[in-house]
Amino acid sequence: MKESQKENGKIIIDKGIEKLTVAEELFGKDHYDDACSRAYYAVYHCITAILFLKGLTYSTHSQTIGAFNKEYVKNNIFPKEFTSKIQRLFDNRQLGDYDVYKKITKDMAEIDIQNAKVIIERIVEYINSK
């Protein structure tokens, strides 16, 4: 892996970690829709980074998530439950960003932020071990 590739991967990871911090801040201010959205993007950036470090880039969220599942979950690098946790984050981001009739609850946001933390910690741990 080229040094510039590592640097760019770190920049993407840092962006994800920043989104998680913002999610926690929004949660603390009772902005649950936006907290879920930021939690999803925190994970999305970290997934993008780990794929990027492998030389893989995608143009859609679905492709990116699918590639992560194929490269890392199906190969037992990350646990199978990451697939459902990431899907939940994606679905709740859609709900929070676009659904005008339903709202994300405090409990939903709390679970999403916790899931995002676990996923991000594991991705960062994996990257640092390489």
Side-chain angles (χ1 to χ4, degrees):
M1 179 183 333
K2 295 178 183 177
E3 193 60 36
S4 62
Q5 192 175 8
K6 283 183 184 179
E7 289 171 18
N8 288 335
K10 181 170 177 2
I11 290 168
I12 300 167
I13 288 285
D14 288 346
K15 188 174 190 84
I17 292 169
E18 180 182 329
K19 298 282 187 233
L20 182 59
T21 300
V22 172
E24 292 171 321
E25 290 170 1
L26 289 165
F27 179 84
K29 294 178 180 177
D30 301 334
H31 297 292
Y32 305 127
D33 285 352
D34 291 325
C36 284
S37 181
R38 296 301 90 191
Y40 166 74
Y41 276 106
V43 170
Y44 178 76
H45 287 306
C46 290
I47 289 170
T48 299
I50 198 170
L51 291 167
F52 177 80
L53 291 171
K54 205 170 187 177
L56 303 171
T57 59
Y58 300 91
S59 59
T60 69
H61 288 241
S62 296
Q63 289 173 331
T64 303
I65 293 167
F68 175 79
N69 287 329
K70 179 183 174 194
E71 296 291 327
Y72 293 99
V73 175
K74 287 186 180 177
N75 289 320
N76 297 313
I77 295 168
F78 294 110
K80 291 188 182 354
E81 64 262 16
F82 275 20
T83 299
S84 59
K85 289 177 190 235
I86 293 167
Q87 186 62 51
R88 175 194 162 97
L89 285 160
F90 178 82
D91 292 344
N92 284 347
R93 192 272 302 192
Q94 294 283 97
L95 174 69
D97 284 352
Y98 301 113
D99 195 314
V100 295
Y101 299 107
K102 295 179 185 172
K103 298 287 275 174
I104 297 290
T105 66
K106 180 178 183 178
D107 289 341
M108 292 166 72
E110 190 169 30
I111 290 167
D112 284 356
I113 290 170
Q114 185 57 41
N115 286 341
K117 282 182 186 178
V118 168
I119 293 166
I120 291 167
E121 285 173 5
R122 292 285 301 274
I123 288 174
V124 169
E125 183 181 287
Y126 177 81
I127 289 171
N128 288 338
S129 74
K130 298 296 170 192

